[in-house]
Amino acid sequence: MLFHKLAATVFGIGYFGKGAGTVAAFFACIIWYLFSHNNHEPLYFVFITIAVIALGIWSGNKVEPIWGKDHNRVVIDEVAGMFISLLFVPVAWPYMLTAFILFRFFDIVKPLFIRRLESLPGGWGVMMDDILAGIYTNLIVQVFVGFNLLNVKI
């Protein structure tokens, strides 16, 4: 069970209390940035994102009976959602900051069917709202990239 608690809380970030989701999303940005400097292929990032999602569903299923439905200690969903937000986005701080802000907006406000996904059972309910928030974020950031709305030189 310790493994699932560590995974679900992203090595204890979930124990920070209020704001732990924001800290976990920021941590995800840092990890993404550091991994990007090893010049990995885009499929590497897809694989890592899928692995985090699978681990989040699995660990969410394990900790929910102990902590309750979508407990605020579980922040692996924020990491997965942030990773989705950054998929296929150039690794530049203006884009990463925009993705971070948009993702936190979608994750907190939960518009456009995001809130409905929380009602899914177990780890699926924990993860799917953040996955959809990440998809929405990624689509918007792709528009920013495509039209160079942030005037980023890459």
Side-chain angles (χ1 to χ4, degrees):
M1 185 55 72
L2 177 62
F3 171 79
H4 293 292
K5 287 180 178 180
L6 283 172
T9 64
V10 186
F11 305 108
I13 290 173
Y15 290 104
F16 286 11
K18 195 165 181 80
T22 300
V23 173
F26 185 74
F27 175 76
C29 289
I30 292 169
I31 294 300
W32 195 269
Y33 182 80
L34 293 174
F35 278 149
S36 71
H37 287 326
N38 291 329
N39 296 320
H40 294 293
E41 294 295 319
L43 285 179
Y44 172 82
F45 292 102
V46 170
F47 173 76
I48 294 296
T49 302
I50 290 170
V52 170
I53 291 168
L55 179 60
I57 293 168
W58 183 30
S59 293
N61 284 333
K62 297 294 185 181
V63 299
E64 186 173 280
I66 300 165
W67 291 340
K69 181 135 180 82
D70 202 1
H71 197 279
N72 61 359
R73 281 187 205 126
V74 179
V75 293
I76 192 169
D77 51 337
E78 275 79 11
V79 172
M82 198 66 235
F83 280 5
I84 292 168
S85 299
L86 296 170
L87 272 175
F88 310 112
V89 171
V91 180
W93 281 109
Y95 293 134
M96 295 182 79
L97 180 61
T98 301
F100 176 78
I101 291 167
L102 285 170
F103 173 71
R104 291 308 294 150
F105 167 78
F106 284 121
D107 188 33
I108 293 166
V109 177
K110 299 188 185 307
L112 305 169
F113 306 106
I114 294 172
R115 186 164 310 281
R116 287 186 188 175
L117 294 177
E118 288 181 316
S119 65
L120 292 171
W124 290 100
V126 170
M127 297 298 291
M128 290 306 292
D129 63 315
D130 293 87
I131 288 170
L132 187 56
I135 291 169
Y136 288 157
T137 298
N138 189 282
L139 292 172
I140 293 169
V141 173
Q142 292 297 344
V143 170
F144 278 52
V145 171
F147 290 102
N148 198 19
L149 297 177
L150 299 177
N151 198 26
V152 176
K153 307 238 187 299
I154 298 176

